[in-house]
Amino acid sequence: MQKLTVGVLQRFAKNGACGEQPILQILNIKLMDSKPVNDSAVTPSQMKKAQRYRLILSDGKHFLPSCVLTVQLNDLVTNGQLQEYSIVRLDRFLRSDLKGQATKMILQVLQVTVLDIATHKIGNPISLLTADLNEDETNSSTSITKHVLQPKTNNSTNKSSVSALKHDQPVSSSTLPIVLDVDSIQTNRLFKIEVLNPFQNKWTIRVRVAHKKPIRSFSNGEGRLFNCDLIDETGEIRATGFSDDCDRLEPLLIVGNIYYITQAQIKFANKQFNTLNNDFEMTFNNETIIELCTENLPNIPKQRLHFIPIDQIPNIQANSYIDVIGMIMSINDVVHGKSKQNKQYTKRDILIVDRTGQITVTLWYQMAENFQPSSIRTVIMLKGISVNDFNGVRTLSAVGSTQVEIDPDLPAAHELRRWYIEEGMNIEMTDLSMQLNSHEN
């Protein structure tokens, strides 16, 4: 049986993460209430992706009830790998203090290795929330910690290593402060997007605006909002401004520019409307400060894209969101109709190809109406498009947050265009829908 890193939660509360990869026991797993606002329009798959699990973790001496599992690891719970009394190693995590109180710290679990499963609770741990943090640690707990910092690996079938994010060391917000030379935000610390979470108070990010949607109305035209996608070297996050904050901040943000942003609300992302690869999203408020960064920072990318070849789409889970780039081969007329729920819809299908195959893309409502038929034989980039499976036929379907760009200035687009001119127009492409049907039979 694996030994726990006794006393590590007390050290975390007193001194920060200290670079440790602790071995802990799960005492409880509970589904958090994180349903999207509009339940009726959410598919079971989307609801599953929006769910979050809270863990109670124990080091044998103390237990911490405020631990959150990142949604990328939800499958560990649903497939039974992660369960009550599991022994795990936290390979990567984020520690935060709730309202500055060290005894009320939050651990967000980003990467974990399941080591073993016990049949009972190890030790007699007490809650860290009521513990005396000044209590001396025993020599034995220090030696146990040293023993397990570099656990041996073996081929046991009941162990599995799970990587949610590609980093080797634990990350703590306490290790990231940088003093900014910007007057109005110089008292805050510079954070990376990947470590932002709802439990932090003062922070500043330095980000590029990768995409921005125009101001639009909601609530029968009485309200206004805009949103934009912000990126840095580590990740991306969706930011939204409403009403007065929309009017004040939208003109400040120009696509391609880099800004310092501070004082906004971080909350769990509503995956019904947000397709970015982030558990959280940001809402601007009347305390939000945005200032232009005049430094030349080429290390901050202009966009964060991961294109999936068309022939790999059958391997992607339905209702997932992916990035795709292709050449437009045909554009159908706009179709108006009614759904089974008697709702009016407008759609347009287009056919795209790359060097691996072809697939149908469905555009909806205003996106379908505005799409230009003259775009045929041009490159299209689709970021955050939904993978659909209808009667065994795999297609792609745009959603409200899907980014659509014609002839983007991207290396992948230039390469695809060159391939099409030199070879592609003379090749009979693989029909992905026929391929899927043959697999079904």
Side-chain angles (χ1 to χ4, degrees), residues 3-267:
K3 294 183 179 180
L4 303 183
T5 314
V6 179
V8 70
L9 295 177
Q10 180 181 350
R11 289 197 296 280
F12 282 3
K14 291 172 63 176
N15 306 316
C18 305
E20 298 191 47
Q21 292 181 317
I23 293 183
L24 303 170
Q25 184 181 34
I26 297 176
L27 299 185
N28 183 263
I29 302 176
K30 184 177 181 180
L31 186 63
M32 298 170 61
D33 184 13
S34 57
K35 295 181 180 180
V37 176
N38 185 6
D39 296 10
S40 61
V42 182
T43 67
S45 177
Q46 290 170 324
M47 180 66 73
K48 179 180 177 182
K49 292 180 182 181
Q51 292 175 340
R52 297 182 63 83
Y53 289 94
R54 187 186 72 178
L55 311 178
I56 297 179
L57 295 177
S58 166
D59 64 9
K61 181 179 180 181
H62 299 105
F63 67 83
L64 181 65
S66 48
C67 307
V68 180
L69 192 70
T70 185
V71 294
Q72 286 92 339
L73 300 182
N74 281 357
D75 286 345
L76 286 180
V77 178
T78 57
N79 66 22
Q81 289 180 266
L82 212 59
Q83 54 185 278
E84 189 174 289
Y85 300 146
S86 291
I87 310 298
V88 299
R89 184 180 70 238
L90 300 192
D91 298 318
R92 189 165 183 267
F93 54 90
L94 172 66
R95 172 263 173 101
S96 303
D97 295 340
L98 186 60
K99 298 182 179 179
Q101 302 178 61
T103 56
K104 294 187 177 181
M105 67 178 182
I106 309 293
L107 284 186
Q108 184 188 356
V109 180
L110 304 176
Q111 182 176 321
V112 65
T113 299
V114 181
L115 300 176
D116 212 337
I117 298 179
T119 58
H120 59 279
K121 179 175 65 176
I122 299 175
N124 189 27
I126 63 173
S127 174
L128 189 71
L129 304 184
T130 58
D132 180 6
L133 296 185
N134 296 318
E135 179 187 358
D136 291 336
E137 299 177 49
T138 64
N139 292 331
S140 61
S141 54
T142 301
S143 63
I144 290 174
T145 301
K146 291 181 179 178
H147 175 72
V148 299
L149 279 179
Q150 295 180 345
K152 297 180 180 179
T153 59
N154 59 48
N155 296 322
S156 175
T157 57
N158 66 339
K159 299 183 181 183
S160 61
S161 178
V162 182
S163 296
L165 299 170
K166 296 180 180 179
H167 290 272
D168 296 328
Q169 298 298 325
V171 174
S172 167
S173 59
S174 61
T175 65
L176 299 173
I178 300 175
V179 177
L180 298 178
D181 188 21
V182 180
D183 291 341
S184 60
I185 55 178
Q186 62 184 355
T187 59
N188 290 336
R189 297 177 295 174
L190 186 61
F191 283 70
K192 300 300 185 184
I193 286 177
E194 70 171 355
V195 302
L196 287 181
N197 68 76
F199 311 110
Q200 293 159 333
N201 294 318
K202 293 185 177 181
W203 50 264
T204 297
I205 54 175
R206 183 170 56 194
V207 293
R208 190 188 302 275
V209 180
H211 179 72
K212 185 174 74 169
K213 284 199 168 185
I215 294 176
R216 58 191 186 276
S217 299
F218 68 99
S219 299
N220 298 323
E222 297 178 0
R224 303 173 307 285
L225 71 88
F226 86 102
N227 55 46
C228 59
D229 297 341
L230 309 173
I231 62 174
D232 67 7
E233 308 92 324
T234 67
E236 55 189 346
I237 190 168
R238 172 74 44 80
T240 304
F242 296 90
S243 302
D244 293 341
D245 299 317
C246 170
D247 298 336
R248 178 173 67 93
L249 299 176
E250 192 276 339
L252 300 179
L253 296 168
I254 299 174
V255 173
N257 284 355
I258 299 174
Y259 299 88
Y260 293 106
I261 301 177
T262 190
Q263 299 298 334
Q265 179 189 8
I266 307 296
K267 59 183 182 180

Side-chain angles (χ1 to χ4, degrees), residues 60 268 436:
F268 291 111
L436 280 170

